[in-house]
Amino acid sequence: MAVFDSVARPLLERDREIEQICAGLTASRAGGGRLLVLEGRLGAGKTRLLAETRGLAEADGFAVLQARGGELESAYAFGAVRQLFEPLLMRRSANTRAELFSGAAGAAELVFSSPVPDEWHSLSDPTFPVLHGLYWLLANVASAQPTLVLLDDLHWFDAPSLRWLAFTARRLDGLGVCVVGATRPAAEAADPSSLADVLTDPTTQVLRPHPLGLAAIAALAGTDDGRADEPFCEVVREVTGGNPLFVHALLEAAADHGIAPTAAHAPRLRELAADGVTRLVALRLARLSDRAVRLARAAAVLGDQATVRLTQALAHLAEEDHRRGVAQLQRSGLLGGEDPLRFSHPIVRTAVLADMSVAERHHAHRKAAELLVDAGAPVELAAAHLLSVPAAAAAGAVETLRAAAERALQQGSADIAVAYLTRAHDERIDAATGLEILIELGKAEQRTNADDAASHLAAAIARIEDPERRGELILEHARARFFSGRPREAIRELEDALGPLRGDGHEDLAERLQAELIGAAWWEPDTHRIAAVHLAAIDPQRLHGGLGSDLLLASLATYTCRQGRDRARALDHARSSLASGRLEIGAAGAYAYATTTLLFAGCFDDALSHFAKAVTAARRRGDVVHLAALSLIWRGRTHALKGRLAAAAVDLREAFDLAREHAVDVAVPYIAGFLADVLREQGDVQGAVEVIDSASLPQDLPQNTHLMFFRLARARLRLVRGSTEQALHEATAIGETVAAVPSDNPAVIPWRAVAAEALRQLDRVDLAVHLAEENLALALRWGADYAVGGALCALGRVDEAGAEERFRRAVATLAASPATLEYARAVIELGACLRRGNHRIEARAHLRSGVDLAEDLGARALADRANAELAACGARPRQHRRTGADALTASERRVAQLAAQGMTNKDIAQALFVTVKTVELHLSNAYRKLDISSRREIGRALT
């Protein structure tokens, strides 16, 4: 009987593994969380080691969470995660549950709640918030007691649970959590790539138990009278490979056949070994009663849901027959737990299922799905059974699969949802239901495979006649085409869809389609004209007033800003589009159009208030894409334009880390460009070079407006490093792009200023002056003070004749502007100009004022230049003030700022998507650099 009962077997030759597991428990108790995975083939003794681990942990005061994978459950989104936490949550009071789901852990309720909490409905993709929430749920559990997480049969875990494990593995340091898992090799997994992500992560410690040696086999094979003969043991090791399960099975079979462990009987072992463990299970089943066999089959089909009530119903057994069947299975060594019924080893379940015909298994799975639905079980459990059988006209199957898909999408498991919906579409269903499923499938595939999404949505559109419904779906289809690299097809489809909707009671939909068309068309030179035609046709006074109107007003605002014409009109459109609040909730792209228009119009404080709200909301939802791709980028850029370089570096560093960790690729060129500019201004040229290089973009880039800020930063950096020709080439390439895709506003992208400075250094002064004069004319036409002041300085640098007058105008223009860095630059340029004109006394006054301001802003490069000019005036240079808050890194400052706002370490960690230990480290460094000893002093020290 012990062959299938892993806990009953002796633990032999596993001292090395136990030692490493004990070390992991010790480290975890001290807050250094660990992930250990036992990897080995079937029967290698992994489950036995997990049982030993549990005993050791419980003896040391650990709480234990446990989950076990099953072949059936691999299609149940977060099924393993629910096994871990649901028993714990069910035992807790409402108040304790609320504490466990507090803060960022609130997003984890998407996994356990039905219906989904209202605040999470606005998430376009909940994948990251759910993973982040589940991590913090575990952290909250472990805050009360060190916790052991036991994960058996990882190879059968569902993909979302494995994604959570990989996510959590990188964040265990700082938690009192030890995760110990067991798995077969990744190649045997239900989802090999997801399991491989866990096994290959640098934080994962993989333990591979060795086969049993002769000494262990001899100890197991020995009789009461003595040890087994060595030749006998050698044959056992040869035919079993030292696999503990196979060794036990072979020895038990030998005992059943009366074969003594002697050298003379060794040859007979080869005959017995051919039967294997599966044959042994089949033989045991054959000796049992019909009721026990029916019960075993019902339990095998139901898997982890094999409760007494469900197995009794599926096996068609009376209560007494069920009880007797359980007793028989336990006596045979095939069954472990009673409610739910659990087999003593996964191979037993596999063997029982193999003993059933295909038709029997399919019938049982369909019946199991019906029983689970009737019992009120989560729809995902019933849907998993339906995935195991071919399509048929099964009552309720389609509804079950669709409901399960909806839940999977809410939890961020689009791949699981696609599997459910694909299976539902194969059912024998009526045309109307088939159309609905096709639409749902296409929408789900937008998160997994844009090409498949476009194909299925196109098929659905062809079957829809209602113009409103058709238009809504075309919006989805056009996005799928755009993101699958077919923007022109998307544009044509949107244009075709607009015609039937105009003036026919579908105004808001028509406006949303038009806004989508504009957004698809205005990025590329050969389609920009289409966007321009539609934009020119918009009359803001005749808009409908819904979300579509807000989208179009935001588009008009940013388009007007790109053209650099009529700043007042652009601001009016931007503010009108933001007034209702609709863009803030569900239109991230348009929200960015409107808010960046405020920024480039010079309304820095208005823009900052919007970006601050967006950052707060994105942190609360765990919406890392919005945070990395929009909120932090543009708040950081605004800080930089205001001269708050340290604050800008904080936001942009965080955005860069998030974008790279979570593959928000579209944001990387923007962040890299903005951050490189900030680092260069701070005097960290090497750091700026490293940021540019880490973006991994080629030297030759296409004409694309998304790359303009990156290219401008790279051009400025090349100027600083003396690569003047390359800088000129880069700036000229930007000019060609903004001409091809009209967006030539020096408040947005002052490429002419950079090109003019490169030309001056190359002694091509006439062309430099021409470009600088053009730059100033365009800045004056737009009218943003920071752009005008910068353009006056750029012209003054290349045209000595009128330089002093232009620098004085720049200082006067920027004095009342929030662009403090540009003001400091203008003051220093004026001082340098006066020094060259031999007006040394006035020059020194301006240069001293400028260097002090540059030091206050952390603009080290500018301060160095001013000091060089002071030295040329015969004055003593100012000293660098690299102490206190100035000495903090971006990450240290970010953490310190949040701590100064009264946030706890846990709150800060949740907001920044880092671990508590990381926060503690940054705060410790900040205390040392600020020369303070308590949290109460941080605010004063930072200011």
Side-chain angles (χ1 to χ4, degrees):
M1 268 189 271
V3 62
F4 303 122
D5 186 353
S6 63
V7 178
R9 296 185 214 140
L11 190 61
L12 300 172
E13 297 184 351
R14 294 294 182 255
D15 292 347
R16 180 181 63 90
E17 287 79 8
I18 292 298
E19 181 181 345
Q20 291 175 298
I21 288 168
C22 286
L25 289 170
T26 302
S28 299
R29 172 173 277 286
R34 293 288 187 273
L35 169 59
L36 300 93
V37 178
L38 300 160
E39 182 187 22
R41 303 247 172 223
L42 170 70
K46 304 181 294 296
T47 299
R48 177 69 183 86
L49 276 166
L50 291 186
E52 186 73 10
T53 301
R54 178 172 189 139
L56 292 168
E58 288 178 333
D60 196 25
F62 276 70
V64 179
L65 304 179
Q66 190 162 358
R68 184 174 186 173
E71 293 174 273
L72 187 64
E73 289 75 27
S74 60
Y76 176 14
F78 289 113
V81 165
R82 292 181 68 157
Q83 278 190 59
L84 280 180
F85 291 108
E86 280 184 335
L88 173 77
L89 296 172
M90 289 172 65
R91 296 193 302 268
R92 301 300 173 94
S93 66
N95 287 340
T96 306
R97 276 183 61 109
E99 289 176 11
L100 291 176
F101 283 118
S102 64
E109 287 194 274
L110 291 171
V111 173
F112 306 100
S113 299
S114 185
V116 172
D118 290 341
E119 64 180 306
W120 304 110
H121 277 293
S122 62
L123 285 171
S124 58
D125 184 356
T127 303
F128 177 81
V130 168
L131 298 180
H132 186 57
L134 287 168
Y135 164 79
W136 279 103
L137 175 60
L138 177 60
N140 290 344
V141 169
S143 66
Q145 184 180 4
T147 301
L148 170 67
V149 177
L150 283 179
L151 306 171
D152 201 1
D153 291 331
L154 278 169
H155 50 281
W156 282 328
F157 270 34
D158 59 280
S161 292
L162 286 172
R163 284 197 289 268
W164 168 74
L165 181 57
F167 179 91
T168 300
R170 296 188 290 273
R171 296 163 174 81
L172 281 174
D173 193 19
L175 294 187
V177 174
C178 185
V179 182
V180 183
T183 183
R184 296 181 197 171
E188 299 179 30
D191 188 332
S193 62
S194 295
L195 180 55
D197 287 343
V198 175
L199 295 178
T200 59
D201 191 280
T203 61
T204 302
Q205 185 179 356
V206 180
L207 310 179
R208 296 181 175 87
H210 294 296
L212 296 181
L214 286 177
I217 294 172
L220 293 172
T223 64
D224 294 337
D225 298 330
R227 297 173 64 82
D229 288 350
E230 186 171 331
F232 182 92
C233 295
E234 287 177 346
V235 173
V236 171
R237 185 174 63 172
E238 177 191 339
V239 299
T240 64
N243 180 289
L245 176 66
F246 298 158
V247 168
H248 279 275
L250 183 58
L251 292 176
E252 186 163 330
D256 284 348
H257 287 76
I259 300 173
T262 64
H265 289 102
R268 293 190 59 190
L269 291 175
R270 300 184 191 282
E271 300 170 18
L272 288 178
D275 288 340
V277 180
T278 303
R279 174 66 174 160
L280 186 59
V281 174
L283 288 172
R284 291 196 181 178
L285 281 174
R287 299 171 188 160
L288 300 178
S289 66
D290 175 65
R291 65 178 166 236
V293 172
R294 283 157 56 192
L295 180 57
R297 290 178 172 179
V301 167
L302 285 164
D304 285 338
Q305 306 308 312
T307 62
V308 168
R309 188 159 64 90
L310 289 173
T311 51
Q312 188 176 329
L314 187 57
H316 302 289
L317 291 173
E319 186 175 344
E320 179 60 20
D321 285 337
H322 185 277
R323 186 185 62 78
R324 291 180 177 176
V326 169
Q328 274 192 293
L329 290 169
Q330 286 178 325
R331 285 195 300 272
S332 71
L334 300 178
L335 200 62
E338 292 186 21
D339 194 9
L341 275 64
R342 289 190 181 277
F343 292 106
S344 48
H345 194 282
I347 198 171
V348 177
R349 181 179 181 228
T350 302
V352 172
L353 290 172
D355 196 50
M356 300 170 67
S357 70
V358 173
E360 286 174 330
R361 286 200 303 272
H362 289 170
H363 174 76
H365 278 303
R366 290 192 185 96
K367 183 62 178 175
E370 293 174 17
L371 290 171
L372 286 164
V373 170
D374 292 343
V379 288
E380 300 96 320
L381 294 175
H385 285 278
L386 294 172
L387 290 181
S388 302
V389 300
V398 171
E399 290 76 8
T400 298
L401 289 162
R402 290 174 72 185
E406 183 180 4
R407 284 282 295 142
L409 284 172
Q410 290 168 348
Q411 297 166 355
S413 304
D415 48 351
I416 300 288
V418 168
Y420 290 147
L421 291 168
T422 301
R423 173 65 179 77
H425 193 257
D426 291 338
E427 282 287 324
R428 299 170 196 164
I429 46 181
D430 59 89
T433 304
L435 175 61
E436 296 303 318
I437 294 172
L438 195 60
I439 293 170
E440 292 164 13
L441 177 58
K443 289 181 178 181
E445 286 169 334
Q446 284 185 304
R447 299 187 197 172
T448 63
N449 189 316
D451 286 332
D452 286 350
S455 174
H456 287 125
L457 291 172
I461 290 168
R463 294 163 57 181
I464 296 175
E465 295 182 1
D466 175 66
E468 179 89 15
R469 185 93 192 280
R470 183 181 175 85
E472 293 283 0
L473 198 55
I474 284 172
L475 266 175
E476 300 282 350
H477 187 228
R479 288 177 190 139
R481 282 185 162 176
F482 185 82
F483 287 114
S484 62
R486 294 179 286 173
R488 288 167 186 77
E489 293 178 26
I491 292 166
R492 281 197 299 272
E493 184 174 33
L494 289 164
E495 285 188 309
D496 292 343
L498 270 172
L501 293 172
R502 293 189 185 280
D504 195 20
H506 306 297
E507 290 86 356
D508 185 66
L509 176 57
E511 289 172 359
R512 285 187 287 129
L513 283 164
Q514 190 173 17
E516 191 74 27
L517 189 156
I518 291 166
W522 65 6
W523 300 108
E524 302 293 337
D526 52 350
T527 58
H528 184 274
R529 181 190 57 80
I530 298 170
V533 168
H534 281 273
L535 285 159
I538 298 170
D539 181 353
Q541 303 304 315
R542 300 180 65 181
L543 292 176
H544 175 64
L547 174 61
S549 300
D550 292 345
L551 294 170
L552 288 177
L553 285 169
S555 299
L556 279 173
T558 200
Y559 184 69
T560 306
C561 177
R562 284 183 181 186
Q563 308 306 303
R565 302 173 185 273
D566 203 339
R567 177 171 162 271
R569 180 168 174 253
L571 279 170
D572 181 58
H573 290 330
R575 287 174 173 144
S576 296
S577 72
L578 292 166
S580 71
R582 285 182 288 256
L583 296 185
E584 189 175 340
I585 296 170
Y591 184 70
Y593 295 158
T595 50
T596 54
T597 297
L598 298 178
L599 167 61
F600 294 128
C603 302
F604 295 164
D605 291 335
D606 285 354
L608 268 181
S609 68
H610 282 287
F611 295 137
K613 282 199 303 182
V615 167
T616 300
R619 288 200 197 284
R620 186 180 65 249
R621 297 192 309 266
D623 192 346
V624 71
V625 173
H626 193 149
L627 193 62
L630 296 173
S631 311
L632 284 172
I633 292 181
W634 292 110
R635 190 173 74 172
R637 181 61 167 174
T638 309
H639 281 317
L641 290 175
K642 281 178 69 72
R644 299 176 178 175
L645 296 178
V650 166
D651 279 349
L652 293 168
R653 280 286 187 195
E654 182 183 356
F656 205 32
D657 291 343
L658 289 172
R660 288 186 294 180
E661 180 178 356
H662 300 286
V664 189
D665 296 336
V666 69
V668 169
Y670 288 88
I671 307 170
F674 294 158
L675 181 55
D677 273 341
V678 168
L679 294 174
R680 177 181 50 78
E681 295 283 11
Q682 290 179 317
D684 185 4
V685 173
Q686 183 56 38
V689 171
E690 290 171 1
V691 165
I692 291 294
D693 290 345
S694 67
S696 301
L697 293 173
Q699 292 300 313
D700 294 323
L701 292 167
Q703 286 189 349
N704 188 305
T705 53
H706 287 300
L707 301 173
M708 292 191 303
F709 295 107
F710 177 85
R711 301 195 78 160
L712 189 68
R714 195 162 70 175
R716 286 169 170 157
L717 200 52
R718 286 171 172 172
L719 269 181
V720 169
R721 302 181 76 199
S723 301
T724 312
E725 288 283 4
Q726 286 184 310
L728 178 60
H729 172 77
E730 194 87 78
T732 304
I734 299 170
E736 292 169 353
T737 299
V738 299
V741 184
S743 49
D744 201 357
N745 184 343
V748 180
I749 195 87
W751 67 272
R752 288 181 179 81
V754 177
E757 177 60 24
L759 288 164
R760 182 192 70 78
Q761 293 182 20
L762 294 169
D763 292 328
R764 298 165 64 182
V765 177
D766 290 346
L767 184 53
V769 170
H770 173 70
L771 280 178
E773 287 175 340
E774 272 190 352
N775 188 58
L776 176 59
L778 292 171
L780 288 166
R781 185 179 71 181
W782 177 241
D785 286 347
Y786 80 94
V788 172
L792 284 164
C793 285
L795 181 55
R797 280 192 296 270
V798 299
D799 186 7
E800 282 288 337
E804 183 181 334
E805 183 269 336
R806 287 175 183 124
F807 290 136
R808 290 189 186 277
R809 280 177 60 196
V811 169
T813 300
L814 291 165
S817 164
T820 314
L821 181 60
E822 281 304 318
Y823 173 67
R825 199 184 318 278
V827 170
I828 291 167
E829 290 288 4
L830 175 57
C833 180
L834 291 169
R835 194 271 305 166
R836 290 192 297 273
N838 209 28
H839 303 294
R840 296 193 169 210
I841 295 176
E842 187 182 2
R844 288 171 185 164
H846 285 295
L847 290 170
R848 285 171 177 148
S849 173
V851 76
D852 286 346
L853 186 52
E855 283 283 1
D856 287 343
L857 298 174
R860 183 60 43 75
L862 192 56
D864 286 345
R865 175 155 185 260
N867 270 323
E869 290 289 344
L870 274 173
C873 282
R876 179 178 298 175
R878 305 292 234 204
Q879 294 297 311
H880 284 321
R881 299 194 298 274
R882 186 62 173 171
T883 60
D886 289 338
L888 299 179
T889 67
S891 296
E892 291 162 357
R893 180 180 286 270
R894 178 166 65 241
V895 169
Q897 287 171 341
L898 295 177
Q901 295 169 21
M903 295 175 68
T904 66
N905 289 2
K906 178 181 172 183
D907 293 337
I908 296 169
Q910 290 179 346
L912 300 180
F913 310 114
V914 297
T915 66
V916 171
K917 187 170 183 178
T918 300
V919 172
E920 291 170 350
L921 177 64
H922 288 324
L923 273 180
S924 175
N925 290 337
Y927 282 4
R928 176 174 50 78
K929 292 178 181 179
L930 296 173
D931 194 24
I932 60 175
S933 58
S934 76
R935 220 178 184 88
R936 294 190 301 275
E937 301 174 83
I938 293 178
R940 174 186 55 77
L942 287 175
T943 56

